[in-house]
Amino acid sequence: MMQVPVTAAGGTTATFTVCHCALLRPNFKDISSPKKGLLTTPLSIEASSFPWPRPIVHVYIRLPRTCELLSSYPSTRTYRQLICAAKSNQGWDFGRFLKTLYFFNAPPSPLKVGFFFSLVVFDTSSLLPCLFLIDEFFMAFCGFKFLESVVEKLSGQSAPTATKEMESSGIVLVAGATGGVGRRVVDILKKRGCRVRALVRNEEKARRMLGPDIDLIIGDITKENDLAPSHFKGVSKVINAVSVIVGPKEGDTPDRAKYSQGIKFFEPEIKGASPELVEYIGMKNLINGVREAVGLQNGKMLFGFDGEAYHELPWGALDDVVMGGVSESGFQIDRNGNEHGRPTGVFRGIVSTANNGGFTSIRTRNFSVPKDLSAYEGLELFLKGDGRRYKLIVRTSTDWDTIGYTAGFDTVEGQWQAIRVPFSSLRPIFRARTVFDAPLFDPSYIVSLQLMFSKFEYDGKPNPTFVEGAFQLPVSAIRAYMREPITPRFVHVGSAGVTRPGRPGLDLSKQPPAVRLNQELGFILSYKLKGEDLLRESGIPYTIIRPCALTEEPAGADLIFDQGDNITGKISREEVAKLCVAALESPHACNKTFEVKSVIPFSEPFKVDPENPPPEKNYDVYFKTLKDGITGKEVLERSPLSVTRDAGYSEVCTAAPQGKDRVGY
């Protein structure tokens, strides 16, 4: 047993007797109050530690005879609601208060319940227990966070950290990073100061080739378990240079001279995993692994319809009842309420400033898995306005009473609107005050959302549109949206010729080896095309680069871009690597598929004078010429189309390193 001093804001004092017993006679100490003995100012408890375990804590308070009680009940009676307030205030709905606590903390722990129901107030004349609850008393004493803090003090537990450490972001993932194109991509990105993560199968080889400090993911794209989304935390963009292994049947020299020369033809064969596993299954695994990290062009739907799929959120009312107020709101689904006659959520209620209240809100329970929205610019709300100003609150902590990153937004009465709230506009707010030293908002760890209508914005600033009474805000959808203009998030190095097998009217004798040997090589081009289709259908902003025959020549030659899968020729791996990096930054390359070669014919080697190197290219000039929707597949639906052939073309097939380069064209 111990005595716990309690002090009200006006100087009123009382004593709590706290014990471990289930039954205890109260120990009283008279208190005086400036309002005729009525306790109407917030209380604070000064208690720190207790020497025993406490599954239930009992607290007793004695008030003087002058207290005004609206209700006094025999101790054996069961009460449906507990309502008592000063005469000038409105009744307080204790049942709704408990419902709120239960929804967001369901079910409350026995310790919290025991503490709450052990608060008993005695009248001095009869010592009959009555449950005496006053609006401002509960604002400080029985609010949810107060219960949390008292329980933590009594149990010796500390509150969880309010915010988590920021995760790394802006990483470029290079898949197939030890191949001829991949390792050059890594080198270019590192020279630009970009953060790089390499997906490779052989760690020793990768360290030797890329450097000891390179961030690696050791995995095989043909194995789904190797590409768990957790491996790609912080990745914002992907360059995929993985390909099936193709090499000479007769083998290669120790220094891979046949692979490097890139001109003379050697009879090819598949080495290692099949084209189906690498080009199709591997692409599927990689897309599924990075999808959440790199994001979708149409955004990530959090609430509402996404096609035929409906995304729900666990909304619950969180009104000023938690601090003694009487405002009340809720969230219901109107099955035909949106602008297209489809279901929409409706945030509606009645707001009142009685009992020092003045806000209503709906808040989600904490998400079972925090949402990673680092790929997106902000949140977009589709709603029908009512002319009022509301607040969106986003939380990055699982704690209940913690910083909420907040932004206000205005609505237009009677109009359906798409309102965008950039993450950069969110302000760190705690209990209606700006927290100037708060951590930066972390979009990779979002645990709950909240919509609020309040008489205040923050820092004492009033809401200019606030009026008491009924309100209604239909909200049909909430989604995360990408920054505009949208640039590619996934650049894939494919291969020219993927649509040519089976093309009507095609003279195979004039086609590159892979076209003629597509079936013998495990349908290599067919599965490359299927892999491309997966990327085009994924929703990820992409670029698909289809180089012609790859060589070890330097970059710098003039280029020819084409679409429709008709050209043949050669291009250096260094040039393709530069194209990949440039495409990541160009909105003109977004969602484009194209073939590329240099203007240099096969019969002429390309060299660069170190004393007079060619100028750096502005690849955006090329990207601007590209059109949407051209892949070469459309040729199959039209009349046969002849395939142009480079005058200097000779049949080429290079022995590719494992999972990296491809049959030449």
Side-chain angles (χ1 to χ4, degrees):
M1 173 188 315
M2 70 175 294
Q3 305 292 315
V4 182
V6 179
T7 305
T12 302
T13 61
T15 300
F16 283 3
T17 299
V18 183
C19 73
H20 184 243
C21 304
L23 297 173
L24 179 71
R25 289 181 301 170
N27 179 27
F28 300 114
K29 178 180 179 181
D30 280 327
I31 66 173
S32 59
S33 171
K35 289 191 177 182
K36 298 181 181 180
L38 187 61
L39 201 59
T40 59
T41 49
L43 301 177
S44 62
I45 296 181
E46 299 176 4
S48 56
S49 62
F50 296 85
W52 54 76
R54 293 155 299 279
I56 297 181
V57 179
H58 292 267
V59 181
Y60 299 87
I61 306 175
R62 177 179 184 264
L63 296 177
R65 185 175 311 203
T66 54
C67 285
E68 302 174 72
L69 306 179
L70 296 185
S71 302
S72 180
Y73 304 97
S75 60
T76 58
R77 186 170 175 181
T78 301
Y79 315 116
R80 181 177 181 85
Q81 286 188 325
L82 310 176
I83 304 175
C84 186
K87 290 180 179 179
S88 61
N89 291 341
Q90 294 186 19
W92 181 70
D93 191 337
F94 177 57
R96 190 157 57 87
F97 170 77
L98 280 184
K99 182 179 178 181
T100 300
L101 298 191
Y102 187 87
F103 180 86
F104 289 103
N105 196 46
S109 70
L111 178 58
K112 297 173 187 175
V113 174
F115 175 83
F116 185 82
F117 283 105
S118 296
L119 179 64
V120 183
V121 182
F122 289 86
D123 181 88
T124 56
S125 60
S126 61
L127 298 183
L128 292 177
C130 67
L131 296 168
F132 183 78
L133 312 177
I134 302 173
D135 59 329
E136 291 182 3
F137 178 91
F138 261 83
M139 187 187 305
F141 192 79
C142 288
F144 185 87
K145 181 57 184 176
F146 181 85
L147 294 177
E148 288 279 325
S149 62
V150 170
V151 169
E152 288 162 3
K153 288 182 178 180
L154 297 180
S155 62
Q157 299 174 352
S158 59
T161 304
T163 56
K164 64 185 290 294
E165 292 296 321
M166 289 284 288
E167 295 283 351
S168 60
S169 60
I171 298 171
V172 180
L173 175 76
V174 181
T178 58
V181 173
R183 66 174 180 264
R184 289 172 169 88
V185 168
V186 171
D187 185 58
I188 294 170
L189 290 171
K190 289 174 66 176
K191 287 179 179 178
R192 292 191 176 194
C194 300
R195 303 178 64 186
V196 182
R197 186 174 298 166
L199 173 60
V200 298
R201 292 189 298 172
N202 188 316
E203 181 176 4
E204 181 181 355
K205 177 182 177 182
R207 297 288 182 201
R208 183 177 66 251
M209 187 177 292
L210 305 176
D213 59 342
I214 188 72
D215 184 10
L216 296 180
I217 300 174
I218 310 302
D220 186 336
I221 66 168
T222 67
K223 299 175 181 177
E224 183 179 5
N225 292 339
D226 285 5
L227 273 62
S230 58
H231 293 324
F232 306 108
K233 188 73 172 178
V235 168
S236 62
K237 298 189 177 184
V238 176
I239 295 177
N240 178 33
V242 173
S243 181
V244 70
I245 313 162
V246 180
K249 286 184 178 180
E250 62 193 60
D252 206 344
T253 63
D255 62 352
R256 306 186 70 196
K258 296 177 183 178
Y259 159 74
S260 298
Q261 56 85 32
I263 301 297
K264 183 180 177 181
F265 172 72
F266 295 92
E267 191 69 27
E269 68 177 358
I270 299 297
K271 308 282 188 179
S274 70
E276 180 181 12
L277 279 175
V278 176
E279 304 291 350
Y280 179 64
I281 303 299
M283 177 69 94
K284 181 187 296 184
N285 293 338
L286 184 58
I287 289 172
N288 290 339
V290 304
R291 189 193 307 269
E292 286 295 314
V294 302
L296 302 176
Q297 181 160 347
N298 290 334
K300 181 180 177 66
M301 189 66 70
L302 304 181
F303 170 75
F305 271 101
D306 185 8
E308 294 302 316
Y310 187 68
H311 299 262
E312 294 186 276
L313 287 177
W315 296 103
L318 181 58
D319 304 319
D320 56 22
V321 68
V322 298
M323 50 182 285
V326 299
S327 301
E328 182 173 4
S329 70
F331 187 78
Q332 297 86 32
I333 299 295
D334 183 343
R335 294 298 172 188
N336 305 105
N338 80 359
E339 57 185 327
H340 304 296
R342 303 185 77 178
T344 186
V346 181
F347 170 33
R348 60 159 60 97
I350 299 175
V351 65
S352 170
T353 58
N355 298 3
N356 292 317
F359 77 85
T360 61
S361 76
I362 51 171
R363 176 172 167 176
T364 65
R365 288 195 185 105
N366 288 346
F367 305 135
S368 56
V369 177
K371 297 186 182 299
D372 182 356
L373 302 182
S374 55
Y376 301 98
E377 170 83 356
L379 293 176
E380 186 170 37
L381 291 79
F382 297 88
L383 52 82
K384 185 177 183 180
D386 60 0
R388 293 179 170 88
R389 183 171 177 81
Y390 292 84
K391 289 190 280 190
L392 172 67
I393 304 171
V394 185
R395 286 184 169 80
T396 59
S397 169
T398 57
D399 292 351
W400 171 258
D401 193 23
T402 187
I403 291 173
Y405 293 85
T406 306
F409 60 90
D410 294 306
T411 67
V412 179
E413 186 173 3
Q415 290 187 16
W416 282 97
Q417 302 171 254
I419 293 177
R420 290 191 167 185
V421 180
F423 291 141
S424 59
S425 71
L426 296 175
R427 189 182 187 97
I429 302 294
F430 182 66
R431 296 180 183 173
R433 297 289 176 182
T434 301
V435 181
F436 292 101
D437 60 349
L440 294 176
F441 174 72
D442 181 4
S444 73
Y445 198 85
I446 292 176
V447 299
S448 70
L449 302 176
Q450 186 173 357
L451 289 170
M452 178 179 287
F453 180 51
S454 173
K455 66 179 179 181
F456 292 113
E457 294 201 32
Y458 48 81
D459 299 333
K461 181 181 178 181
N463 179 351
T465 69
F466 180 80
V467 289
E468 294 190 69
F471 70 92
Q472 177 171 294
L473 185 71
V475 181
S476 65
I478 301 175
R479 73 174 182 103
Y481 68 91
M482 279 191 171
R483 180 193 301 269
E484 294 181 346
I486 295 175
T487 55
R489 302 295 178 94
F490 194 122
V491 174
H492 172 61
V493 182
S495 178
V498 293
T499 68
R500 298 179 204 176
R503 182 183 290 184
L506 198 65
D507 185 352
L508 292 180
S509 66
K510 298 179 181 180
Q511 290 305 305
V515 178
R516 299 196 310 269
L517 300 174
N518 182 55
Q519 183 173 348
E520 290 83 349
L521 292 174
F523 296 96
I524 180 173
L525 296 180
S526 301
Y527 282 113
K528 283 179 177 288
L529 181 59
K530 290 186 69 174
E532 286 186 6
D533 288 340
L534 288 175
L535 181 56
R536 280 188 282 264
E537 295 164 4
S538 69
I540 299 171
Y542 68 88
T543 299
I544 296 174
I545 302 174
R546 294 170 171 172
C548 292
L550 295 167
T551 73
E552 291 293 298
E553 294 173 335
D558 290 337
L559 301 178
I560 295 175
F561 276 47
D562 197 26
Q563 292 180 278
D565 195 17
N566 295 308
I567 62 173
T568 60
K570 67 176 182 177
I571 185 171
S572 78
R573 293 180 175 89
E574 183 181 352
E575 194 82 69
V576 174
K578 290 184 174 183
L579 273 171
C580 289
V581 175
L584 288 178
E585 302 171 349
S586 175
H588 301 291
C590 192
N591 299 333
K592 304 296 197 305
T593 300
F594 65 92
E595 298 77 48
V596 60
K597 68 172 184 175
S598 76
V599 298
I600 308 299
F602 274 102
S603 58
E604 297 179 16
F606 178 71
K607 296 181 180 180
V608 170
D609 180 2
E611 300 298 325
N612 187 28
E616 289 292 324
K617 293 184 180 69
N618 178 4
Y619 293 104
D620 223 32
V621 173
Y622 296 93
F623 295 144
K624 288 178 180 179
T625 67
L626 300 175
K627 298 179 180 179
D628 293 326
I630 301 178
T631 66
K633 294 172 63 176
E634 57 275 4
V635 175
L636 302 177
E637 302 171 1
R638 301 199 304 264
S639 59
L641 194 69
S642 62
V643 178
T644 60
R645 184 178 176 87
D646 190 304
Y649 175 84
S650 62
E651 293 181 335
V652 176
C653 178
T654 61
Q658 186 162 344
K660 305 305 181 284
D661 285 302
R662 57 212 36 82
V663 178
Y665 293 91

